[in-house]
Amino acid sequence: MLRIAIAGASGRMGRAICEQAPEHAARVTGALVRSGSERVGEAVSGVEGLRYSDDPDTAFQDAEVVLDFSTPGAASTIAEHCVAQGRALLVGTTGLDDSTRATLQTAGRQIPVLLAPNTSPGVNLLAALVEKVAGMLGEDYDIEITEAHHRHKVDAPSGTALRLGEAAAAGRGIDHSERAVHARQGQIGPREAGDIGYSVIRGGDIPGEHSVLFAGPGERIELGHRASSRATFAVGALRAAAWLAGKPAGFYTMDDMLGLDRL
C-alpha cells in the first residue's frame, strides 16, 4: 500500500483523505498539525495507532508521499522538510504567493513535487477546455468566472478560479495579471474588452462550484463544475499521490498526471 503523510491532517481535506485512504490502497503513516495545536497527541480518527504530531520529521519519517493541505505560510517549511527527507510532495494548499511557488519549483530539482490547487480530475479537465475555448473565441466574447465555496474558506478568489482565469488568458495569449478584474463597485464605466472578471460567493457548506462564462454577441457559452462532496477531492489527491510516488525529481501539475496535454 502507498504510505502517505498528511500536513494539515486535522483540517477538512486532511480528514477526508484519512477516510478515503483505506479504500484506495493507501495507508496514512503520519498526521501533521500546526505547532502547539491542541490536537497534538490525540488519536487520528479512523487510523489505528496514529496520533497527531507537530513535528514534521516524525510525521513524515515513514511516508513515500507527503500531501500538504495546511496553510500557505507553512508550505515552504514543509517543502524543506520533504527535501531533507527525500519525500515526494503533493501541495494542495491554495493562496500561495510567488515566493512560495518559487520555493516549490526549487524543491522540484531534488524531489518530485506536484502542485495541485484542485485535485478533482473534473476541474482540471475543465481548465484544459477553458483554455481551448478561449483560444477559439475572439475578444468579442467576454470572460467571467464565478466561484462558490463554504463560509470557512479564507482565500478569494479560490485557487481553482484563478487557475481557470490563467487558462483563459493562456488561450487568448494575454497576461492574466494585467487583465484580471477582481472587484466592481460604483461608476466603473463600460467593460474593457479582453478583461477576465471574477465573482466570489461564500456561504454554507458548499464544497466548491466554478463556472466560466463566455458572453458573446447573441449567445453565451458556459463551462462549469460542481462538487457534491469533499470526497471527490480526497480521492483525486490519493490518485495523484499514487502517480507521484516513484517519479523522478521534477515540478509537476495535475495536467501531467491526467495527460491533459493531449487535448
Side-chain angles (χ1 to χ4, degrees):
M1 297 183 75
L2 177 69
R3 302 186 309 278
I4 63 171
I6 305 170
S10 63
R12 293 176 182 81
M13 271 298 294
R15 297 196 304 270
I17 292 170
C18 286
E19 291 173 2
Q20 294 295 323
E23 298 181 18
H24 294 85
R27 180 164 62 93
V28 182
T29 62
L32 183 72
V33 293
R34 62 177 173 77
S35 179
S37 170
E38 61 184 15
R39 291 294 188 95
V40 173
E42 285 186 13
V44 178
S45 177
V47 185
E48 185 177 355
L50 185 65
R51 296 184 179 277
Y52 291 113
S53 170
D54 60 359
D55 177 21
D57 291 332
T58 299
F60 301 167
Q61 64 182 352
D62 294 325
E64 298 171 80
V65 183
V66 173
L67 285 70
D68 179 15
F69 288 90
S70 57
T71 63
S76 291
T77 300
I78 289 168
E80 291 168 1
H81 281 278
C82 287
V83 169
Q85 294 190 40
R87 311 301 181 204
L89 172 63
L90 183 154
V91 181
T93 304
T94 61
L96 303 178
D97 58 23
D98 291 340
S99 175
T100 302
R101 287 173 178 264
T103 298
L104 296 176
Q105 289 177 327
T106 299
R109 299 171 187 167
Q110 300 178 69
I111 60 171
V113 176
L114 193 160
L115 181 59
N118 192 304
T119 53
S120 158
V123 162
N124 288 280
L125 174 59
L126 172 62
L129 294 174
V130 166
E131 181 173 349
K132 183 172 288 289
V133 172
M136 297 176 69
L137 300 175
E139 279 196 353
D140 52 341
Y141 283 80
D142 298 320
I143 301 174
E144 292 288 319
I145 298 170
T146 302
E147 60 103 336
H149 282 87
H150 53 86
R151 63 165 63 97
H152 301 289
K153 188 167 179 62
V154 297
D155 58 314
S158 68
T160 298
L162 291 172
R163 184 177 175 214
L164 294 173
E166 290 165 356
R172 288 271 172 93
I174 59 178
D175 188 329
H176 174 263
S177 63
E178 293 182 357
R179 304 314 302 265
V181 176
H182 295 290
R184 295 187 178 109
Q185 183 177 5
Q187 298 296 320
I188 61 171
R191 189 187 199 282
E192 293 289 336
D195 282 350
I196 298 175
Y198 287 88
S199 299
V200 174
I201 298 169
R202 292 288 178 267
D205 60 355
I206 304 170
E209 298 180 2
H210 297 83
S211 66
V212 182
L213 174 68
F214 296 88
E219 65 177 3
R220 291 174 293 177
I221 301 168
E222 188 168 1
L223 303 176
H225 177 274
R226 292 185 178 183
S228 57
S229 168
R230 197 173 303 279
T232 297
F233 308 112
V235 172
L238 289 164
R239 178 180 171 187
W243 178 87
L244 189 64
K247 283 286 185 294
F251 186 76
Y252 302 97
T253 68
M254 289 292 287
D255 285 3
D256 299 314
M257 194 275 283
L258 295 167
L260 293 179
D261 57 337
R262 297 192 296 269
L263 284 179

